């Protein structure tokens, strides 16, 4: 068990407030882990978009972003932009997720994300997964809320390109958005790569990390 440390996970939890959040924020990381560790278990929870086109997109996308993984995805129907008003439902879903898995890695939104749905889910994760390594992903948006990340997952050029291709392929409902394009996704990955001496990377905030320097 890794417990607040970095290593090669066998069980991952990935959560998003909306369909496409996980793929945008941590799709490259999921690809990297799943390609390296066939059979890794991925428990994913998305709070909104259930029962329609968005859920169909999400199921196809996460299957592609988690090749060879034991993927278990739940998509709820909470209204987009209204998570604070549905706190009890969101909390119950996160607690149920916690009860069914003991992950070595948790992928979550940032607690200081400008979007209230992202921020609310992130705060729930800190109470349910207290002793786990939680990497809080970033999503570029109009609000200009990108911060100074504390952890990086370098991405190979092939993985970075595949992430962008899968985002464009599996979320046609989002293609009309002005920020949803190749330049935005690869541009941020290139900047984060510069910050960690890699070509591309995804970046995360980490609240707590246990070191094992003498191990």
């Amino acid at each position: 068990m890794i417990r607040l440390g970095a290593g090669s996970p066998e069980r991952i939890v990935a959560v998003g407030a909306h369909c496409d959040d996980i793929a945008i924020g941590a799709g490259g990381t999921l690809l990297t882990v799943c390609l390296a560790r066939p059979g890794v278990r991925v428990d994913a929870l998305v709070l909104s978009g259930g029962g329609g086109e968005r859920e169909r997109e999400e199921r196809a996308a996460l299957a592609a972003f988690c090749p060879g993984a034991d993927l278990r995805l739940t998509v709820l129907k909470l209204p987009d932009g209204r998570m604070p008003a549905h706190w009890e439902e969101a909390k119950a879903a996160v607690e149920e997720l916690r009860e069914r898995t003991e992950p070595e890695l948790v992928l979550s939104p940032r607690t200081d994300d400008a979007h209230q749905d992202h921020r609310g889910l992130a705060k729930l994760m800190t109470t349910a997964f207290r002793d786990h390594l939680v990497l809080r992903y970033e999503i570029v948006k109009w609000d200009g809320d990108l911060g100074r990340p504390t952890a990086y997952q370098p991405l190979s050029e092939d993985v970075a390109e595949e992430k962008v291709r899968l985002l464009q392929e599996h979320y046609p409902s989002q293609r009309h958005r002005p920020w949803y394009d190749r330049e935005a996704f690869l541009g941020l990955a290139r900047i984060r790569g510069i910050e960690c001496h890699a070509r591309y990377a995804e970046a995360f905030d980490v609240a707590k990390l246990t070191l094992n320097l003498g191990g």
Side-chain angles (χ1 to χ4, degrees), residues 190-212:
R190 180 68 187 107
I191 290 170
R192 296 316 189 197
I194 290 171
E195 293 172 352
C196 68
H197 291 171
R199 180 64 183 173
Y200 297 108
E202 286 177 340
F204 305 89
D205 288 339
V206 180
K208 291 185 180 180
L209 175 67
T210 299
L211 303 176
N212 185 21

Side-chain angles (χ1 to χ4, degrees), residues 4-55:
L4 274 174
S8 185
E10 296 182 359
R11 292 157 299 184
I12 299 172
V13 159
V15 299
H18 316 100
C19 296
D20 76 22
D21 285 355
I22 296 171
I24 292 173
T29 297
L30 285 173
L31 277 170
T32 299
V33 174
C34 292
L35 290 171
R37 296 188 64 81
V40 63
R41 175 170 165 175
V42 179
D43 287 272
L45 170 66
V46 179
L47 296 183
S48 64
E53 176 190 13
R54 294 287 277 145
E55 179 175 352

Side-chain angles (χ1 to χ4, degrees), residues 17-178:
H18 316 100
C19 296
D20 76 22
D21 285 355
I22 296 171
I24 292 173
T29 297
L30 285 173
L31 277 170
T32 299
V33 174
C34 292
L35 290 171
R37 296 188 64 81
V40 63
R41 175 170 165 175
V42 179
D43 287 272
L45 170 66
V46 179
L47 296 183
S48 64
E53 176 190 13
R54 294 287 277 145
E55 179 175 352
R56 290 190 292 272
E57 288 181 343
E58 186 74 342
R59 291 193 177 279
L62 289 190
F65 275 103
C66 302
D70 176 11
L71 175 62
R72 309 179 188 195
L73 170 62
T74 300
V75 184
L76 303 183
K77 298 181 180 181
L78 274 62
D80 187 354
R82 299 291 186 270
M83 203 219 81
H86 295 265
W87 185 262
E88 290 299 326
E89 295 170 73
K91 183 176 177 61
V94 169
E95 289 178 345
E96 191 279 330
L97 173 65
R98 175 67 187 93
E99 289 173 0
R100 71 170 184 259
T101 185
E102 186 65 61
E104 289 88 16
L105 173 63
V106 178
L107 300 170
S108 162
R110 292 165 38 231
T111 53
D112 58 350
D113 193 293
H115 195 299
Q116 67 271 19
D117 291 355
H118 300 174
R119 189 170 61 250
L121 175 56
K123 291 178 179 178
L124 283 174
M125 297 302 290
T126 62
T127 64
F129 293 88
R130 290 180 177 273
D131 300 318
H132 302 79
L133 176 61
V134 180
L135 299 183
R136 299 168 178 165
Y137 57 74
E138 58 184 354
I139 297 178
V140 63
K141 60 178 92 60
W142 172 88
D143 306 86
D145 63 348
L146 296 178
R148 302 184 69 177
T150 53
Y152 298 84
Q153 171 58 54
L155 305 178
S156 69
E157 189 164 347
D158 287 345
V159 165
E161 292 283 356
E162 180 70 355
K163 173 183 175 177
V164 173
R165 187 187 71 79
L166 292 176
L167 286 172
Q168 294 289 351
E169 176 183 346
H170 288 289
Y171 296 105
S173 67
Q174 303 304 298
R175 292 175 189 157
H176 68 283
R177 299 185 181 278

